[in-house]
């Protein structure tokens, strides 16, 4: 078996809590390659690539806005380590992310300071990442997430659980 020597794509992930301790989860629209997902496992957290020379905090704020339209949020936590994951096997030919083997993510927890009416999945003409969204309890994420992100999301649940609703109900 050949060793994959491609680098990981620099990426940020955002775990956005509302004032009630629930987490923003988006229902993925994309099925365009490495991120192909089964219909019943389509929920995920906002995330995205870090541009060259871009600070990870700036990237997290930009990605949060691009995917949710949210500007009023404060950082309440950051993982002290990055998380990597590899793309799943994909046989669809060339893909826009094929130069990377997967992603290296810096994760942040944010607290939303606005109102739900401010959430816009396509702000200023941005191509939407999500077709729907909802506030849910963080512990639910591994049960409904994109399967190849399961390990990542289990770590996020463990790391950021203290910021949200702890009990399963």
């Amino acid at each position: 078996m050949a060793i994959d020597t491609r680098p990981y794509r620099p990426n940020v992930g955002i775990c956005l809590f509302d004032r009630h301790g629930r987490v923003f989860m988006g229902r993925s629209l994309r099925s365009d390659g490495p991120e192909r997902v089964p219909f019943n496992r389509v929920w995920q957290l906002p995330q995205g690539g870090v541009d060259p020379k871009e600070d990870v905090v700036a990237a997290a704020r930009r990605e949060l806005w691009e995917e949710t339209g949210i500007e009023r949020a404060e950082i309440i936590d950051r993982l002290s380590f990055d998380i990597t994951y590899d793309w799943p096997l994909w046989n669809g030919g060339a893909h826009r992310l094929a130069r990377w083997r997967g992603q290296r993510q810096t994760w942040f927890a944010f607290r939303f300071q606005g109102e739900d009416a401010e959430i816009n999945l396509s702000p200023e003409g941005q191509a939407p990442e999500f077709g729907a969204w909802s506030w849910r309890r963080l512990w639910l994420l591994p049960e409904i997430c994109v399967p190849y992100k399961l390990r990542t999301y289990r770590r996020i649940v463990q790391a950021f659980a203290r910021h949200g609703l702890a009990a399963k109900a």
Side-chain angles (χ1 to χ4, degrees):
M1 185 161 114
I3 296 173
D4 192 340
T5 59
R6 294 175 296 167
Y8 284 102
R9 178 182 183 228
N11 191 274
V12 290
I14 300 104
C15 188
L16 178 70
F17 291 91
D18 73 0
R19 65 181 52 93
H20 305 292
R22 299 171 301 179
V23 174
F24 177 97
M25 294 186 198
R27 187 168 185 264
S28 180
L29 276 178
R30 297 205 175 166
S31 181
D32 63 349
E35 296 188 284
R36 211 172 277 206
V37 296
F39 75 94
N40 62 339
R41 301 294 301 256
V42 295
W43 294 90
Q44 53 188 352
L45 303 178
Q47 68 173 54
V50 178
D51 294 334
K53 298 183 182 178
E54 184 179 32
D55 174 76
V56 291
V57 172
R61 289 193 176 284
R62 177 184 51 76
E63 285 295 335
L64 181 62
W65 179 82
E66 287 178 0
E67 296 185 9
T68 68
I70 292 172
E71 294 179 282
R72 296 193 307 154
E74 67 174 323
I75 295 174
I76 57 174
D77 206 349
R78 176 181 174 172
L79 288 187
S80 60
F81 55 91
D82 286 350
I83 296 175
T84 60
Y85 69 85
D86 290 352
W87 303 129
L89 294 176
W90 184 62
N91 296 317
H95 185 271
R96 65 184 175 88
L97 300 175
R99 66 180 172 223
W100 294 288
R101 70 184 281 181
Q103 302 203 94
R104 184 186 75 248
Q105 297 184 303
T106 302
W107 276 91
F108 295 90
F110 280 78
R111 179 84 60 202
F112 182 42
Q113 303 295 312
E115 300 298 326
D116 288 0
E118 298 173 38
I119 297 173
N120 177 356
L121 300 182
S122 186
E124 295 183 18
Q126 293 288 318
E129 296 281 332
F130 305 124
W133 67 273
S134 87
W135 294 112
R136 299 187 177 200
R137 292 180 181 223
L138 182 59
W139 64 263
L140 180 63
L141 184 59
E143 297 178 16
I144 61 173
C145 75
V146 177
Y148 66 94
K149 294 181 182 178
L150 180 60
R151 185 177 124 290
T152 297
Y153 284 155
R154 283 182 176 152
R155 293 178 83 181
I156 295 309
V157 168
Q158 186 175 42
F160 293 148
R162 68 185 176 280
H163 300 297
L165 296 170
K168 289 186 181 185

